[in-house]
Amino acid sequence: MKGPLFYSKILLFGEYGIIKDSRGLSIPYNFFKGALKKSKNLRGAALKSNENLKRFAEHLETVQEDESIEVAFDLELLRSDLAEGMYFDSSIPQGYGVGSSGALVAAIYDRYAIGKITILENLTRDKLLKLKGIFGRMESYFHGKSSGLDPLNSYLSLPILINSQDNIESTSIPSQHTEGKGAVFLLDSGIVGETAPMVQIFMEKMKQEGFRQVLKDQFIRYTDACVEDFISGNVKSLFGNIKQLSHVVLDHFKPMIPKEFHHLWKQGIETNAYYLKLCGSGGGGYILGFTEDLSKARKALKGHRLEVVYNF
């Protein structure tokens, strides 16, 4: 048995903001992927995955008992596959903000959900919301509360536009200019980030009136503008708004930026060689970068590995 591939994702815009109804844009990232496989002699990461999936199967039992979520799983088949050595074989780094648990959730839903919503159907907004709700409950096993967007992105393998929490749609993004000088890239912080503590910090900050005001007047405003610019291909306006967004994050989301990257963040804003933003919840993992001139950015970030995600 070798299941279909499920890809990692990148939330280009919307981290933290989508909790408070900003817009967001999430795209599949095919560089990393995972699939369900079986092995008769499990060891190392495969054995760990198999054991974790056994606990996850127990969680799925509680998910299908939840009357607010309409989903049922073939748990008998899941348990028998696990007894035969099934594991999730994945190249998606964990704690890096690129959706490692999302791909796993998508793979399990695809194989074991009874009467599943398939990607071949006419995916109405209601169906997308229903899937997002199911995936959110499934993924809550991994980090407390989940929006369900990562598994949705992985399952559909399409860019997803988040207009608000209950208004999402699949979308198309402008074609890449492979010869273009500009790029979106990933910068490896070399640190594993944990989602739950970062979200906790954000929730604590939300108790302050001043922070709530900044979130609404600046963070969400620039996030929404970036989403609009990216989708409509307005690159000049996009970089102006990303610079502002990068600034707001440096000023108000410092705990989410690994300390050793504070100066690089500031340097980007001051030199305009690149602009950095959070990729997922922050605290480690990848940092997202945007540049109008990739060779200039590489020079400025010498000694760091840059993975290009999209070319302008």
Side-chain angles (χ1 to χ4, degrees):
M1 162 198 159
K2 188 179 182 312
L5 292 171
F6 291 91
Y7 298 106
S8 55
K9 64 82 218 183
I10 291 171
L11 184 62
L12 281 183
F13 306 104
E15 71 294 339
Y16 291 108
I18 54 175
I19 298 174
K20 294 293 159 196
D21 262 1
S22 80
R23 297 183 82 194
L25 179 64
S26 184
I27 61 168
Y29 181 45
N30 298 358
F31 187 73
F32 298 121
K33 47 195 159 302
L36 292 169
K37 289 184 183 173
K38 277 182 191 168
S39 169
K40 282 196 166 55
N41 47 356
L42 291 171
R43 53 177 179 266
L47 178 63
K48 202 173 160 194
S49 167
N50 176 269
E51 286 165 354
N52 198 11
L53 280 172
K54 283 175 181 166
R55 290 189 290 274
F56 185 51
E58 288 166 29
H59 168 73
L60 294 184
E61 212 165 307
T62 64
V63 172
Q64 69 178 12
E65 284 163 10
D66 182 344
E67 286 171 13
S68 65
I69 302 282
E70 285 175 59
V71 69
F73 301 98
D74 189 340
L75 294 174
E76 210 174 301
L77 176 62
L78 173 56
R79 288 197 177 102
S80 106
D81 282 344
L82 287 168
E84 287 169 18
M86 185 180 75
Y87 66 103
F88 189 58
D89 183 28
S90 169
S91 65
I92 308 169
Q94 291 183 359
Y96 262 66
V98 285
S100 56
S101 59
L104 167 59
V105 165
I108 293 289
Y109 175 85
D110 180 64
R111 180 156 166 80
Y112 300 102
I114 297 164
K116 66 181 181 189
I117 295 169
T118 76
I119 51 177
L120 303 171
E121 292 174 39
N122 172 20
L123 289 167
T124 61
R125 188 175 296 168
D126 283 351
K127 282 181 186 169
L128 286 175
L129 282 174
K130 187 178 171 184
L131 269 176
K132 181 175 172 284
I134 291 167
F135 288 152
R137 276 293 275 113
M138 288 173 73
E139 199 183 30
S140 67
Y141 170 79
F142 298 98
H143 30 232
K145 195 173 188 296
S146 161
S147 68
L149 278 166
D150 288 4
L152 186 64
N153 203 297
S154 192
Y155 186 61
L156 301 177
S157 218
L158 291 167
I160 291 170
L161 174 63
I162 302 117
N163 294 308
S164 66
Q165 283 188 353
D166 51 8
N167 181 352
I168 54 173
E169 56 188 302
S170 56
T171 188
S172 57
I173 55 175
S175 307
Q176 297 197 52
H177 294 279
T178 41
E179 302 304 310
K181 278 169 74 175
V184 182
F185 59 86
L186 291 173
L187 184 65
D188 190 345
S189 73
I191 305 159
V192 173
E194 281 190 55
T195 301
M198 293 297 118
V199 173
Q200 192 56 46
I201 292 169
F202 175 76
M203 289 310 189
E204 281 303 311
K205 279 176 159 287
M206 281 301 288
K207 291 174 184 172
Q208 304 159 18
E209 174 62 35
F211 182 77
R212 287 202 301 272
Q213 215 52 50
V214 165
L215 194 78
K216 188 165 147 252
D217 298 345
Q218 297 176 46
F219 188 77
I220 289 179
R221 178 159 66 97
Y222 293 126
T223 295
D224 288 356
C226 286
V227 170
E228 193 51 51
D229 288 341
F230 193 93
I231 284 177
S232 57
N234 190 347
V235 177
K236 194 170 172 21
S237 172
L238 174 69
F239 278 93
N241 284 314
I242 284 174
K243 181 175 184 173
Q244 297 293 348
L245 187 57
S246 185
H247 220 305
V248 174
V249 173
L250 184 62
D251 291 346
H252 301 281
F253 287 76
K254 262 213 172 79
M256 285 78 167
I257 304 170
K259 278 195 180 63
E260 8 344 0
F261 287 86
H262 289 185
H263 75 283
L264 282 182
W265 207 284
K266 195 162 178 264
Q267 174 186 286
I269 295 166
E270 287 170 354
T271 61
N272 298 314
Y274 57 87
Y275 306 119
L276 301 179
K277 68 179 289 296
L278 297 174
C279 179
S281 55
Y286 284 117
I287 292 166
L288 260 177
F290 290 76
T291 181
E292 291 184 88
D293 187 337
L294 187 59
S295 59
K296 208 165 149 186
R298 282 195 198 278
K299 212 169 286 176
L301 293 165
K302 202 166 180 279
H304 292 276
R305 239 180 66 218
L306 273 57
E307 299 272 3
V308 175
V309 171
Y310 184 93
N311 286 96
F312 292 107

